[in-house]
Amino acid sequence: MKALEDYKLQDIELQDVEDTLGYLAKAFELNIASDSFSETKTFGDICQVFQDNIPYENEESCTSQQAFYKIRSAIAVSQKIDRESITPKTRLDEVFPRIGRRKKIKAFKKELGIPVNFLTMKTWLILLIIGGFIISLAAFFFNWKFALTGVLTCLIFNWVAMKLRQEIEYISIGELTMKITRDHYMQVRRNPNTINRNEIVKIIQCSFMSDLDLKLAELHKDALLSKI
């Protein structure tokens, strides 16, 4: 069995790669034809498809820096914090303490104007819900009524847990900045009708690393895609 660090791009199922490509198209605000990636065989081919389909004017300004400035401003206004005290290393749990966290984050998101989500459930709770689903599905082989009750219970429990989640998924403002830059690239640009073409490959790499758990070293231009 392969260790996680041994996985290459060609080990990832095409459906998972396609899902990530869909998220990237949304981040770049592109409408790419469904067959545009039909002939792609390498990571470099994927990057080229995005390069060829981006119609925006090139402007060589740093998008992650612009994202940080937007986040810093939104935190300063919504949380009434001196913006000069906010740096990429500032911890999110210090900006959004547990007491009143969900309300504070809601105010921050409203000021930011970008639908970013960075709250999650405790790990043990996630594992508990997943375990409940697995047990309930297995129970269909023995008692469908018991199994159906279990599935419905897990769904309700998961819905409630998602509504009440309070754990912060990222440690620092710098990490949140990278997430927002990756997921909402065009929205954080100072001039929304421009793009820094020098950043495109890096953003695609970051998305593949985050969504598919791949190492940067595996995302070179000649890295092969799965043939399945």
Side-chain angles (χ1 to χ4, degrees), residues 175-191:
E175 291 180 5
L176 180 62
T177 297
M178 291 308 300
K179 172 183 171 56
I180 292 179
T181 302
R182 183 180 71 243
D183 296 348
H184 305 278
Y185 184 89
M186 297 304 296
Q187 288 184 265
V188 298
R189 294 282 296 173
R190 186 179 298 111
N191 185 342

Side-chain angles (χ1 to χ4, degrees), residues 92-156:
L92 287 168
D93 57 6
E94 295 176 355
V95 175
F96 305 108
R98 183 170 292 276
I99 298 177
R101 176 173 290 168
R102 292 170 64 243
K103 183 177 181 180
K104 291 178 182 294
I105 290 179
K106 182 178 180 180
F108 161 70
K109 289 166 62 176
K110 182 178 180 180
E111 183 66 30
L112 183 65
I114 297 175
V116 59
N117 294 308
F118 53 97
L119 285 178
T120 187
M121 295 181 279
K122 289 182 177 293
T123 302
W124 67 264
L125 186 56
I126 295 174
L127 294 175
L128 179 64
I129 294 173
I130 293 174
F133 269 117
I134 293 174
I135 293 172
S136 298
L137 292 174
F140 273 106
F141 292 102
F142 307 100
N143 187 318
W144 71 268
K145 291 183 179 179
F146 175 81
L148 185 60
T149 299
V151 169
L152 291 175
T153 300
C154 288
L155 287 172
I156 294 172

